[in-house]
Amino acid sequence: MTVDLVQHSIAVIARGQTPTGAYLASPNFAQYRYAWLRDGAFIAYGMDRAGQHRSSRAFHRWVDRTLRGVACKVEALEQKADRGEPIEMTEWLHCRYTPEGQEGDAGWGVFQLDGYGTWLWALCEHVRMTGARDLLEEVRPSVELVRRYLTRFWDRPNFDCWEEHGEHVHPATLACIYGGLRAVDALEGSQGAAEVCEAIRSYLLTHFVHGGRLTKFADGRSIDANLLWVSVPFGLLSPSDPLMEATVAELERRCVTGGVHRYPEDTYYGGGEWLILSAWLGWYYVRAGNRARALELLAWVERQADERGDMPEQVTDQANVPAMVQPWVNRWGPVAKPLLWSHAMYLVLRAELGLLEQQFSGPEPGW
């Protein structure tokens, strides 16, 4: 029997959502039994695109409750910054939490700003799609907290979306912050973040453009598939901007072997092809007007589902460094599967292609 990957993806995400509203990144993978703001925001967006607005709303309420519990940290950070004092890693807001809203401690870099910008963006998308303005008012204290936090600290070096290189500022992270702040302004019809957004844009274009394309670091050479975020969905550059077109051409040359690798030097589980990034590249091509290429990437993503329909984080058949696959399997077990973010990005790409029929399009009764 052929698995309905759309309905199965919705079911996988629903099963991975805890009673608190948090999405576990991968319930079957011990290291990923946390809720990341970044992953969760995109998962919630995928559920919104599939018409599963109750699930998305529950996630945003969980974020609000979690942030209210750590709000005092932002004031303390601001005071230390005002005094010019160094800030320890543990003092920043964390990037991952337990389903109960406690800070997660997995021994990885905790200071990541991308999830906070992404949450603002996903929340605004939820409100835009559903008309649920009451939710925006309900979580207003957390929205204002995050806006303060990002406006003050957007240019601090912090870990990227892969939990790496905490000594750098990252273009993809800047795009998340830019997109989140702009989304709130757009929803409210204000220009409150216009100045900082322009500063972010200027910083990115000053430090991360070399040879007519974007680079992962300010070194003129590196590439990373998360550079897609600069355009889709956060809109710092349009898909047709020559910088983005040149960046995508370089990604196709160095990071695509069927699916999309994170970056050429990646050795995590050998550095395989990631489903979220393959769907992301398809998302970009839809916005750029290349539907045929987007459909190719959709078909590739679908082929990676197992007989049950479960989608992994990555596949390692064409790993960057095949010799590094088994050491990671020995350390942590097989590649995470199912990964909720993979299923969510599959839903997003199908929706972008007009191949996903929502169950409903407006607010649910009682909202």
Side-chain angles (χ1 to χ4, degrees), residues 262-275:
R262 297 194 297 178
Y263 50 90
E265 305 80 14
D266 184 18
T267 62
Y268 177 56
Y269 281 93
E273 301 157 303
W274 284 54
L275 276 69

Side-chain angles (χ1 to χ4, degrees), residues 24-34 36 336-340:
L24 295 180
S26 183
N28 298 336
F29 192 72
Q31 288 74 23
Y32 290 3
R33 290 178 190 150
Y34 291 101
W36 276 261
K337 185 174 72 171
L339 189 82
L340 270 63

Side-chain angles (χ1 to χ4, degrees), residues 147-166:
R147 289 174 79 176
R148 280 171 46 205
Y149 182 58
L150 295 178
T151 298
R152 184 64 184 271
F153 299 114
W154 66 267
D155 59 349
R156 295 287 183 117
N158 65 105
F159 289 90
D160 66 9
C161 64
W162 313 130
E163 320 267 315
E164 298 173 341
H165 300 293

Side-chain angles (χ1 to χ4, degrees), residues 182-210:
R182 290 255 302 184
V184 176
D185 272 4
L187 196 63
E188 297 183 336
S190 71
Q191 293 291 318
E195 184 175 344
V196 70
C197 284
E198 184 53 40
I200 292 169
R201 178 184 174 87
S202 176
Y203 187 95
L204 186 147
L205 295 178
T206 298
H207 295 281
F208 300 103
V209 175
H210 300 273

Side-chain angles (χ1 to χ4, degrees), residues 6 16 20-21 55 75 120 140 170 173 196 206 208 221 271 273 282 296-297 312 339 342 350:
V6 169
T20 65
S55 174
E75 183 175 354
L120 290 180
R140 173 72 61 183
H170 305 280
T173 298
V196 70
T206 298
F208 300 103
R221 302 180 304 277
E273 301 157 303
E296 290 175 357
L297 289 157
L339 189 82
S342 293
R350 285 195 67 97

Side-chain angles (χ1 to χ4, degrees), residues 3-184:
V3 176
D4 183 332
L5 288 178
V6 169
Q7 291 304 314
H8 185 72
S9 292
I10 293 171
V12 164
I13 293 170
R15 288 196 299 269
Q17 186 168 30
T18 71
T20 65
Y23 295 116
L24 295 180
S26 183
N28 298 336
F29 192 72
Q31 288 74 23
Y32 290 3
R33 290 178 190 150
Y34 291 101
W36 276 261
L37 267 64
R38 172 191 56 250
D39 304 34
F42 285 122
I43 294 164
Y45 178 69
M47 291 295 265
D48 272 328
R49 294 299 299 265
Q52 305 297 304
H53 301 309
R54 289 188 189 275
S55 174
S56 179
R57 187 178 177 99
F59 169 75
H60 291 302
R61 281 179 160 156
W62 170 80
V63 174
D64 175 52
R65 293 193 304 272
T66 298
L67 293 182
R68 287 174 189 256
V70 296
C72 59
K73 295 183 73 170
V74 174
E75 183 175 354
L77 287 165
E78 291 170 330
Q79 291 174 355
K80 292 197 78 169
D82 288 343
R83 296 191 297 265
E85 297 175 4
I87 297 172
E88 300 298 325
M89 185 62 64
T90 56
E91 296 179 273
W92 297 103
L93 297 185
H94 282 219
C95 62
R96 75 188 72 81
Y97 295 88
T98 68
E100 296 73 33
Q102 302 301 310
E103 293 175 341
D105 181 14
W108 305 330
V110 299
F111 178 32
Q112 298 174 36
L113 293 172
D114 58 353
Y116 291 89
T118 303
W119 175 64
L120 290 180
W121 170 82
L123 172 68
C124 291
E125 285 294 298
H126 175 81
V127 173
R128 184 184 62 80
M129 280 188 263
T130 65
R133 289 267 174 175
D134 64 309
L135 177 64
L136 184 62
E137 295 312 310
E138 178 184 329
V139 305
R140 173 72 61 183
S142 293
V143 169
E144 295 306 320
L145 181 80
V146 171
R147 289 174 79 176
R148 280 171 46 205
Y149 182 58
L150 295 178
T151 298
R152 184 64 184 271
F153 299 114
W154 66 267
D155 59 349
R156 295 287 183 117
N158 65 105
F159 289 90
D160 66 9
C161 64
W162 313 130
E163 320 267 315
E164 298 173 341
H165 300 293
E167 73 278 14
H168 287 286
V169 174
H170 305 280
T173 298
L174 295 176
C176 295
I177 298 169
Y178 176 93
L181 294 175
R182 290 255 302 184
V184 176

Side-chain angles (χ1 to χ4, degrees), residues 347-363:
L347 295 174
V348 170
L349 181 53
R350 285 195 67 97
E352 286 288 312
L353 285 163
L355 301 175
L356 185 63
E357 190 171 329
Q358 289 199 10
Q359 295 180 8
F360 48 82
S361 58

